[in-house]
Amino acid sequence: MRILVVGQGGREHALSWRLSRPEEDDAERVVICAPGSAGIAQDVEVVPVPVDDLAGLEALALEREIDLVVIGPEQPLADGLADRLRARGLAVLGPDAAAARLESSKAFAKEIMDEAGVPTAAWAAFDDAAEAKAFAARFEGRVAVKADGLAAGKGVILAHDLAEAGAAVDALMLEGQVGEAGERVVVEELLIGEEKSAIALCDGSRVLMLAASEDHKAVHEGDTGPNTGGMGAFSPVEGLDAEGLERVRLEVMQPMLEVLARRGAPFRGVLYAGLMLTADGPKVLEFNVRFGDPETQPLMRRVKGPLAPAFLAAAQGDLSGIELAWREETACCVVLCSEGYPGSYPKGRAITGLEGVPEDVKVFHAGTRSEEGVWQTAGGRVLGVTALGATIREARRRAYSAIEGVAFVGMHFRRDIGDRKGEESES
């Protein structure tokens, strides 16, 4: 099997690495990543075709006679890359642009949730800042203010009073914090509970749940500070066992697929539900239309047996009879970030110590480059140090122990990834 993974971050490194592992039973498999990175090139072939060069990616897939395209980032999905590739007869793990609106428009996702009867927070969408603030006042300012469009994980601001709510609306709508994506916002009540990530393979009508995971989005320990694209993740998680995942499949994923199919936009790809486990049961915070980052990193360390056949089955529209197995161990991924992230950050700072990371700990490259044999920072999220352990305590210990020898100027990371003690969180 010849597989093309589209993207260049930590998620795509994890996918490329896992799809090229001996666990895959196709001895003739070839995995390439476009555009990839120097870090990803340690594991698979990379071809420097940018994710926004849809014509170039199409030409690459045809030239290399690709059997399966796995699209990592959300932007090319929103731009219609899957539509373009399917029109050429290629199997694609990723939804068409019409279904990708679940992520590219939070208001659209909320409309589909309402139509599908999927539990979610009370909400409304606004083009006018004053009206958005008035709606927030109905909840005494305890709201989440979300940019309607794609904002690279930085378009959600949590507010706990009227002043914070007003500032959040102004930041997105009037100050242009995330550009055009924030010209329209969704304001919704702030949910209380434990946040989890539920990810599924979908073939247009069927749903295959993956193992549950949990992401840490806030930049600082204790879930404080601004939201980021993700500071770390672990799997499995308490509160979302096999029974809980089946409930999510029946009450969340399946109804969403049915509504999308009725609307003429069948969903074939990876559907991600950010959930809040509230006192009233699970409620959906948001949908993504691709693998989460960094949730993919621990998931790829835990999945057992061939993975490519499941991806291909979803892409071809027939997941019937497909199952996936998972290691009993816990996987923990700690993300090392550049100084200033999630705001502006420097690039080109030398990274040392990677050669000393133990072989049983995998370092996924999220934002690096190699200059004359020296690893350098090239993004806000730089590395995802991912370890397995019999327990979350052991997985955390191995990950943080490996980090001790890695350094670059301004490096910062959360020291509490996977350290959940059952306290309430808000999102």
Side-chain angles (χ1 to χ4, degrees):
M1 183 184 295
R2 294 173 296 277
I3 303 171
L4 169 62
V5 177
V6 176
Q8 60 192 9
R11 167 184 50 219
E12 291 77 32
H13 190 180
L15 289 167
S16 298
W17 170 80
R18 181 54 182 75
L19 289 168
S20 66
R21 298 285 292 169
E23 290 92 334
E24 298 296 323
D25 57 5
D26 181 359
E28 299 301 321
R29 70 187 177 282
V30 173
V31 180
I32 63 176
C33 186
S37 67
I40 297 175
Q42 295 178 109
D43 292 305
V44 301
E45 179 188 356
V46 300
V47 181
V49 180
V51 296
D52 59 357
D53 183 359
L54 305 192
L57 291 168
E58 175 187 341
L60 173 64
L62 294 172
E63 177 187 343
R64 299 296 291 268
E65 298 181 330
I66 293 298
D67 299 301
L68 171 66
V69 182
V70 179
I71 302 175
E74 60 272 25
Q75 192 63 60
L77 291 167
D79 292 342
L81 177 59
D83 309 60
R84 184 169 190 146
L85 296 177
R86 286 197 177 101
R88 299 303 299 269
L90 294 163
V92 184
L93 186 69
D96 291 346
R101 288 188 66 205
L102 285 180
E103 182 166 1
S104 62
S105 171
K106 287 184 168 57
F108 175 77
K110 285 287 195 176
E111 292 171 6
I112 300 297
M113 281 187 254
D114 286 351
E115 185 175 338
V118 169
T120 188
W123 70 282
F126 300 94
D127 298 301
D128 180 83
E131 292 178 1
K133 293 175 184 178
F135 183 80
R138 291 172 50 183
F139 302 94
E140 298 180 341
R142 293 181 57 79
V143 294
V145 183
K146 302 180 176 182
D148 180 53
L150 295 176
K154 303 172 186 176
V156 177
I157 303 175
L158 307 183
H160 300 83
D161 56 39
L162 290 173
E164 289 184 359
V169 170
D170 287 345
L172 294 176
M173 301 191 75
L174 304 181
E175 298 166 14
Q177 179 172 298
V178 294
E180 293 181 1
E183 292 179 357
R184 190 183 195 210
V185 299
V186 167
V187 181
E188 61 182 44
E189 65 172 325
L190 200 63
L191 297 177
I192 306 298
E194 296 182 8
E195 187 172 348
K196 313 292 181 185
S197 301
I199 302 174
L201 297 179
C202 305
D203 67 4
S205 60
R206 302 174 190 83
V207 176
L208 176 62
M209 299 300 301
L210 306 188
S213 56
E214 186 167 341
D215 182 17
H216 297 251
K217 289 187 173 65
V219 70
H220 300 308
E221 282 83 2
D223 293 332
T224 60
N227 271 2
T228 71
M231 297 294 294
F234 61 100
S235 173
V237 298
E238 292 184 2
L240 202 55
D241 57 11
E243 183 178 346
L245 285 171
E246 177 63 6
R247 181 179 180 183
V248 171
R249 185 184 73 83
L250 293 174
E251 298 180 8
V252 175
M253 301 298 198
Q254 204 70 51
M256 294 295 288
L257 260 62
E258 291 170 3
V259 171
L260 289 169
R262 286 201 304 267
R263 289 189 171 210
F267 191 102
R268 282 187 285 168
V270 179
L271 186 57
Y272 168 119
L275 302 172
M276 186 68 80
L277 304 187
T278 73
D280 298 323
K283 294 188 177 183
V284 176
L285 297 166
E286 65 177 359
F287 279 104
N288 293 333
V289 298
R290 35 73 188 180
F291 276 106
D293 190 348
E295 292 98 330
T296 303
Q297 287 83 312
L299 289 180
M300 292 302 103
R301 296 270 352 230
R302 288 194 62 223
V303 66
K304 291 171 60 178
L307 182 61
F311 283 7
L312 183 62
Q316 293 177 332
D318 188 5
L319 276 168
S320 58
I322 298 293
E323 296 181 357
L324 289 173
W326 302 89
R327 298 181 187 278
E328 293 294 330
E329 296 105 313
T330 293
C332 179
C333 172
V334 180
V335 177
L336 310 184
C337 299
S338 292
E339 180 180 8
Y341 179 78
S344 59
Y345 49 82
K347 298 180 181 179
R349 290 181 169 175
I351 304 168
T352 60
L354 290 178
E355 68 283 352
V357 174
E359 289 186 4
D360 63 348
V361 176
K362 180 63 180 177
V363 178
F364 295 114
H365 287 241
T368 65
R369 65 191 182 202
S370 180
E371 296 289 342
E372 298 182 352
V374 176
W375 288 109
Q376 296 182 357
T377 63
R381 291 186 291 180
V382 179
L383 299 165
V385 181
T386 311
L388 285 170
T391 63
I392 181 60
R393 182 186 296 273
E394 183 179 353
R396 293 183 71 246
R397 179 186 62 78
R398 288 180 174 175
Y400 282 108
S401 177
I403 288 170
E404 290 178 359
V406 179
F408 54 86
V409 174
M411 182 178 87
H412 72 93
F413 57 93
R414 281 183 57 163
R415 300 178 185 275
D416 61 350
I417 302 301
D419 185 15
R420 294 301 201 201
K421 300 181 177 63
E423 70 274 20
E424 285 191 335
S425 61
E426 298 180 345
S427 183

